[in-house]
Amino acid sequence: PKSDRRGEQRLSLVIRAVPTVGLVVSLSGGADLATERVDESVNSHMNRNLEKLLSSIQDPFQLSMSDALLAATVLCADRRCEAVVSALRRQSKLPSWIHLEVECGTIAIAATVTYPTSSNSEGSGKPTILFRMALDSRTGRFTPTFPRPASILRMLACNDPSASETQALHSAAALQSVTRLNDKRGDATLRDSSGRIVRDAFESLSRSMDTLGRKCGVLGKWNDLNAQSVTLREKSIGLSAQDARASLITCCGLSAVYGVGAIAMKIVAGVDCVADAAGGPIVDESIPNLLRCPPLSVPMHQQLVEKVTKEGDGEIKRTSQIQ
């Protein structure tokens, strides 16, 4: 009914049955989408989902409520990503080496990776995509996704013990220490591990992006209650954007080390890099902007060692290990 105004100023799917007409579908609060649809070159992904939404409701030969809900969800995700990127560019003043782009309902985070001795040290090179922030359709929360070659970064972001044998050994030793002595020394042992640092950084980024996304909405016009609504809203968005900016810079640095750096070292050395095998985080007080994380290492000398073990039933078992 017209008296129901819950969907006003919100991007929501409205389906009404009109006598002698049939089903009429509309996007409440989606006037900007209809305006942008005129220009096909602006966002073909959005136009394709708009056409899918309308055809799945209005076309009698393509009726599908599941397709309509899916298209509406994709449109909401795309608009929310655009709102977050717009707020970050407007409020937080991102560094020139970080580039954000909205691609099919996700935010692609790219960076210009340079070296002080290279000819393009001022950031004139082509940006490299480090990771993406995708929206979960079930919860509406931002989740980081990583390229397939960045296997070390993906496992470290989950704090997977298989990413580092050193971390797995420290975890086992810390568990035994906590069990025997009933203290917190085990937690201090793992605090500087690569998996703990990377996982905490990306979890912080997800939380800050979720907070910013809730405050930004899905673009469009706002229903201001008074003259101070605009000022208060911009101030709240600005504070959240600053938190997201700090987390974004940290995650970009970690992705450059454990993502792009690990891939480059594998190409040069021909073997997979190892985390937590070259010591703890590098701390240099003379470089305040230095990212404090454990460096990667490349095993330069390996050998195959065979060990003979005797089972409980007397059977001899041979195992081979690379050391």
Side-chain angles (χ1 to χ4, degrees):
K2 294 183 178 181
S3 59
D4 187 2
R5 309 178 71 87
R6 289 177 297 177
E8 194 173 81
Q9 299 296 335
R10 299 179 63 184
L11 189 61
S12 55
L13 179 64
V14 180
I15 303 174
R16 296 181 291 113
V18 181
T20 69
V21 176
L23 294 177
V24 177
V25 60
S26 62
L27 281 175
S28 177
D32 294 339
L33 292 177
T35 304
E36 294 180 5
R37 190 187 177 192
V38 177
D39 190 357
E40 294 290 338
S41 62
V42 173
N43 194 337
S44 59
H45 172 72
M46 183 187 66
N47 295 331
R48 185 168 58 252
N49 282 278
L50 272 175
E51 294 175 356
K52 183 179 179 180
L53 172 63
L54 297 176
S55 63
S56 59
I57 297 297
Q58 296 178 343
D59 192 345
F61 298 100
Q62 300 182 13
L63 294 178
S64 175
M65 183 56 66
S66 60
D67 290 344
L69 293 176
L70 179 60
T73 302
V74 173
L75 288 172
C76 290
D78 193 74
R79 297 292 288 179
R80 187 173 185 182
C81 290
E82 290 182 358
V84 169
V85 171
S86 177
L88 285 172
R89 291 173 177 172
R90 184 180 69 256
Q91 298 281 357
S92 63
K93 297 181 180 179
L94 290 172
S96 59
W97 53 273
I98 295 181
H99 306 270
L100 304 179
E101 293 293 338
V102 178
E103 298 179 356
C104 301
T106 63
I107 301 178
I109 293 93
T112 305
V113 182
T114 59
Y115 300 90
T117 57
S118 61
S119 58
N120 59 346
S121 58
E122 297 182 357
S124 59
K126 184 178 180 180
T128 302
I129 295 180
L130 302 177
F131 59 96
R132 286 180 169 86
M133 297 298 293
L135 269 175
D136 190 349
S137 60
R138 295 174 298 178
T139 61
R141 298 189 59 185
F142 282 98
T143 304
T145 59
F146 307 96
R148 186 179 297 272
S151 57
I152 296 180
L153 177 62
R154 185 169 58 252
M155 289 188 292
L156 290 176
C158 302
N159 200 14
D160 189 351
S162 61
S164 170
E165 295 182 0
T166 306
Q167 180 180 348
L169 293 175
H170 286 174
S171 300
L175 181 61
Q176 293 179 0
S177 176
V178 172
T179 303
R180 294 176 182 177
L181 303 179
N182 193 21
D183 57 12
K184 297 183 179 180
R185 285 185 295 177
D187 182 70
T189 304
L190 298 175
R191 190 172 301 166
D192 293 334
S193 64
S194 301
R196 180 76 172 269
I197 294 174
V198 176
R199 184 198 62 182
D200 292 347
F202 278 99
E203 286 184 351
S204 176
L205 177 62
S206 298
R207 289 192 299 267
S208 60
M209 294 286 279
D210 292 337
T211 303
L212 180 60
R214 287 193 296 268
K215 294 180 179 180
C216 291
V218 289
L219 293 179
K221 298 180 180 179
W222 292 84
N223 187 15
D224 297 328
L225 299 178
N226 49 52
Q228 296 180 352
S229 298
V230 178
T231 304
L232 294 176
R233 182 173 61 252
E234 290 297 323
K235 182 178 180 180
S236 178
I237 293 176
L239 294 176
S240 299
Q242 291 296 332
D243 295 339
R245 175 185 182 273
S247 298
L248 193 62
I249 292 176
T250 302
C251 290
C252 286
L254 293 174
S255 299
V257 174
Y258 298 108
V260 179
I263 296 174
M265 293 176 67
K266 182 178 180 180
I267 295 175
V268 174
V271 295
D272 292 328
C273 300
V274 180
D276 296 320
I282 299 177
V283 179
D284 190 350
E285 299 297 338
S286 62
I287 308 177
N289 296 327
L290 181 65
L291 186 63
R292 298 186 178 183
C293 63
L296 289 171
S297 61
V298 178
M300 304 301 295
H301 178 71
Q302 295 180 347
Q303 60 180 351
L304 187 64
V305 179
E306 290 189 357
K307 295 184 178 181
V308 179
T309 57
K310 190 174 182 180
E311 303 292 338
D313 55 357
E315 182 181 357
I316 298 177
K317 182 179 179 181
R318 292 180 178 272
T319 57
S320 299
Q321 298 178 352
I322 296 180
Q323 296 181 355

